[in-house]
Amino acid sequence: MKLPKGIDLMPSGKYKATASIGSGNTRKRKSKSFTTVSDAKVWLLEMNADMHSGTTYVGDDAKITDAYNEWVATFVTSKVSPATEKGYYFTGKILAKYCEGWLVKTLDRRHCQKLFNQLIADNYTKNTIKKIKVHVGKYCRSLVTEGVIKRNPMQEIDIRGARLGKDANQKFISISQYKQLLQALKQRPISQMTPYTMVILVILCTGMRVSEAIDLRQDDLDEIKLTLRVDSSYSRTVHGSKAPKTKNSYRTIPIPKFLLQRLREWRFEQNRLLMLNGHRNHEQHLFITKFGNVPDASSVNYYVQKLEHTICQIPVGQTTSTHSLRHTYASYLLSREGGNQSLQYVANVLGDTQAMVQEVYAHLMPEEKASQANVVRDALEVI
């Protein structure tokens, strides 16, 4: 029997089909063995269809780790924010850890699902896994576009079961604890304040992100209108100022009179400390360390946890973070004690959208839950 072109009989009795895909520098040969001639013919037809659809399989012999990092360097680096770029490279490290030895041509939905199953089993948070899924998904789509693979193996990857981040209750301190922190920092002598505790005081009074608070300048303070302006934030990635997180982040926040007074006192104290240590505040930061640097966000977080432990008696291991103060401030404004502020007003102060406030912040803190439960009980009693 004469075999069709591209199909040869092997000594083992199987039929080897060989397809030539592409032309010139992009030409690539692919072969596969089959038990029957008809199966080999079907495969050759599929390969020819791939050639006409633009799939060349060129580059599918590369290691997934090398190919991904090259893609990031070509299509991501310098085209996104430094923080986003850092996230893509983090995904590269994940691929290097879990996909060592994988080739691009071995990528299929089964392999990808196994990768994400392992990430879930290794207790990565759902938010982290979501970001990795986005990065790998974009990379795989580009492989399809470039004709390296035929289908996107990341379609319908299931990440259910991934561990959520902090429980909602861990992102807040109670209203009474919030008051304790605020009162303690209001009353603490200015000589005992540090750039870190001053940043914390500002966050307690404004709900700013820590990156926004540490990048405040003296001209952001309007002493007449009693406001603080947010038009930049500090990036640890580039070690300097950058634009705020979103367009909504550009805003002006009202502050209480006591905070204005504290900031005035702090300005003199800070200048005194800088002079003692031979530094100048050339960029007129509101908060700067005795070494002439803006406060580090991780150090601010350390002081938040220390204050929660010493002032609020929150056990070590149960303290929250700097960002939790922002959450608590927002929930306080939405509570009855905070004036039942509207979602739109809170969104404007936080620099978020109203939908984000509704989703993230508009749930009750411990005392408010108990208070409203009593209101419901009393209302039912009088029916």
Side-chain angles (χ1 to χ4, degrees):
M1 179 182 70
K2 185 177 179 180
L3 295 174
K5 183 180 179 181
I7 299 177
D8 298 299
L9 179 62
M10 302 170 65
S12 64
K14 289 188 176 183
Y15 296 92
K16 180 182 178 181
T18 304
S20 180
I21 300 175
S23 60
N25 294 332
T26 64
R27 185 176 181 180
K28 183 178 178 68
R29 290 184 182 275
K30 288 182 72 71
S31 60
K32 191 173 182 179
S33 61
F34 300 90
T35 56
T36 66
V37 174
S38 59
D39 288 341
K41 285 182 178 179
V42 170
W43 183 80
L44 277 176
L45 288 173
E46 290 178 352
M47 291 300 102
N48 288 329
D50 289 348
M51 178 184 69
H52 291 297
S53 68
T55 304
T56 64
Y57 298 98
V58 172
D60 68 347
D61 290 321
K63 287 186 177 180
I64 179 68
T65 49
D66 297 336
Y68 172 84
N69 287 329
E70 182 182 351
W71 174 77
V72 172
T74 304
F75 296 101
V76 177
T77 300
S78 302
K79 296 174 179 62
V80 296
S81 72
T84 301
E85 181 182 320
K86 191 174 181 181
Y88 274 92
Y89 279 112
F90 171 77
T91 295
K93 292 179 180 178
I94 291 293
L95 295 178
K97 179 179 179 180
Y98 290 92
C99 308
E100 182 63 32
W102 287 20
L103 301 180
V104 171
K105 64 183 177 184
T106 65
L107 280 178
D108 57 24
R109 186 164 175 259
R110 180 174 60 87
H111 277 92
C112 290
Q113 187 63 64
K114 281 186 174 181
L115 165 64
F116 284 90
N117 289 348
Q118 191 60 53
L119 294 178
I120 292 170
D122 287 351
N123 217 27
Y124 286 87
T125 66
K126 190 167 189 176
N127 282 340
T128 298
I129 292 175
K130 276 184 177 179
K131 289 178 182 178
I132 295 171
K133 184 181 177 184
V134 168
H135 298 161
V136 178
K138 286 183 177 179
Y139 168 62
C140 288
R141 284 200 299 273
S142 77
L143 291 177
V144 175
T145 300
E146 294 169 15
V148 181
I149 58 177
K150 187 175 180 179
R151 300 181 183 87
N152 185 349
M154 284 296 295
Q155 289 181 337
E156 299 182 15
I157 293 300
D158 189 352
I159 61 172
R160 286 177 297 179
R163 175 175 67 86
L164 296 175
K166 286 185 177 180
D167 180 80
N169 291 329
Q170 292 179 290
K171 294 181 180 179
F172 295 79
I173 54 176
S174 68
I175 291 178
S176 60
Q177 291 166 338
Y178 170 78
K179 287 180 176 180
Q180 281 181 298
L181 285 180
L182 189 54
Q183 289 170 356
L185 295 184
K186 279 175 63 176
Q187 298 167 4
R188 181 172 293 187
I190 205 67
S191 60
Q192 296 177 19
M193 295 292 283
T194 68
Y196 307 101
T197 51
M198 284 300 299
V199 168
I200 293 168
L201 178 60
V202 166
I203 294 173
L204 285 167
C205 293
T206 64
M208 283 188 195
R209 301 175 179 93
V210 65
S211 60
E212 297 168 341
I214 63 179
D215 204 47
L216 287 170
R217 314 300 169 101
Q218 293 185 16
D219 62 0
D220 291 324
L221 175 63
D222 190 323
E223 299 190 18
I224 304 299
K225 295 181 179 179
L226 284 175
T227 60
L228 277 170
R229 177 183 60 202
V230 176
D231 60 5
S232 67
S233 65
Y234 190 82
S235 168
R236 297 175 64 185
T237 306
V238 300
H239 302 290
S241 296
K242 66 172 186 176
K245 187 174 183 180
T246 66
K247 65 179 182 180
N248 292 319
S249 299
Y250 291 90
R251 62 199 189 279
T252 300
I253 306 173
I255 61 172
K257 290 181 179 179
F258 77 80
L259 180 58
L260 171 61
Q261 184 58 36
R262 297 249 79 185
L263 290 172
R264 283 173 172 168
E265 295 170 355
W266 171 251
R267 184 163 51 198
F268 288 109
E269 177 65 13
Q270 178 169 261
N271 289 339
R272 183 184 70 83
L273 293 173
L274 289 174
M275 288 180 63
L276 284 175
N277 290 279
H279 294 289
R280 294 180 65 86
N281 188 0
H282 295 290
E283 296 188 20
Q284 299 298 299
H285 284 283
L286 266 182
F287 311 114
I288 194 166
T289 70
K290 63 182 181 180
F291 303 109
N293 305 315
V294 298
D296 181 70
S298 61
S299 297
V300 176
N301 193 64
Y302 164 78
Y303 279 98
V304 167
Q305 295 175 341
K306 185 177 180 180
L307 289 172
E308 287 181 352
H309 177 62
T310 57
I311 295 174
C312 304
Q313 305 302 308
I314 299 176
V316 174
Q318 296 180 28
T319 54
T320 60
S321 66
T322 309
H323 202 66
S324 73
L325 303 185
R326 173 176 165 85
H327 285 287
T328 303
Y329 171 81
S331 290
Y332 177 71
L333 292 185
L334 292 165
S335 70
R336 287 187 299 167
E337 191 168 356
N340 286 321
Q341 306 300 329
S342 69
L343 290 175
Q344 186 58 59
Y345 175 79
V346 175
N348 291 341
V349 170
L350 294 178
D352 273 328
T353 63
Q354 188 169 331
M356 179 63 74
V357 172
Q358 177 68 48
E359 178 183 351
V360 178
Y361 302 106
H363 53 81
L364 302 173
M365 299 167 71
E367 293 95 331
E368 190 71 8
K369 288 180 181 178
S371 174
Q372 292 203 0
N374 289 332
V375 170
V376 172
R377 292 190 190 99
D378 293 344
L380 292 173
E381 289 287 350
V382 297
I383 291 177

